[in-house]
Each structure stands twice: as C-alpha cells, then as structure tokens.
Amino acid sequence: QVQLVESGGGLVQPGGSLSLSCQVSGSIFSLNTMGWFRQAPGKERELVATMTSGETTNYADSVKGRFTISRDSAKNTVLLQMNSLKPEDTAVYYCYCNARRRSYSIVVDYWGKGILVTVSS
C-alpha cells in the first residue's frame, strides 16, 4: 500500500509564506512524477506544480514566480515553498505521485488526503 501524508498547512496572512511537505511511504519500485494540486471551495481540483523524476517542473500560471517545488528522491518527499501568498491561493492542497509498486506493475496515481491552506488577514 502506498500512502502520501501532507504537512505544513495552516493560516497565513496575504503576502506571507508557507511550506508544504509530503512524505510518500509504502512498497514502491519507482516514483515518477510528484507534485501538488489544489481545490478551492466550489471549484475543480487544479494543478499547482509537478516535478518528474528527471526534475522537469511544471507550474500553473497563477503560481509561477511565487511557488517552488522540490523533491528528495532518496527520501520520497516532495516540498512546495509558497511565497507572496494571496487570498485566492486558499484551498485544500493535495499531494500527488505516480509510481510503480513492482518492476512489472503499471503506473498508478496516488493522492494524499489533503491539507488546508488559508490565506486571510
């Protein structure tokens, strides 16, 4: 079983910073893309940032220049540094990865349970 556990969310004032962390655990043969998605109230889940195993990154236009994704492949962790936060960044943030559990397995998507980030004065 593969588990993703997020940490680091909370309340921050506009213009502030917050860092999210996600630990992936379980029996994994290979981790491919890791990243973060978010879902604001009344909206669909959207991509925030992803990073491939080759460290190619992809960011939503709305967070470019403010958020930075990084990963530690040895520790199976992915981080999201969020700076210059805006009220519209308020959402539940979900950690994501796709992985193979065995060398012969198909690639499967896995999700964390989500963590709330609230940007408000």
Side-chain angles (χ1 to χ4, degrees), residues 43-97:
K43 295 188 177 181
E44 294 186 353
R45 190 175 298 189
E46 63 177 4
L47 177 145
V48 176
T50 59
M51 179 179 277
T52 67
S53 57
E55 300 192 348
T56 297
T57 57
N58 183 34
Y59 291 93
D61 288 342
S62 59
V63 307
K64 283 180 181 177
R66 300 189 297 122
F67 291 11
T68 302
I69 188 171
S70 60
R71 64 188 280 176
D72 185 334
S73 296
K75 297 181 179 179
N76 288 348
T77 58
V78 60
L79 305 177
L80 185 68
Q81 178 64 41
M82 303 183 292
N83 298 327
S84 302
L85 283 160
K86 304 175 182 179
E88 51 263 45
D89 294 317
T90 295
V92 176
Y93 284 70
Y94 295 90
C95 181
Y96 160 86
C97 75

Side-chain angles (χ1 to χ4, degrees), residues 29-47:
F29 174 75
S30 66
L31 265 178
N32 302 320
T33 298
M34 303 180 76
W36 296 90
F37 287 70
R38 67 185 181 188
Q39 187 167 17
K43 295 188 177 181
E44 294 186 353
R45 190 175 298 189
E46 63 177 4
L47 177 145

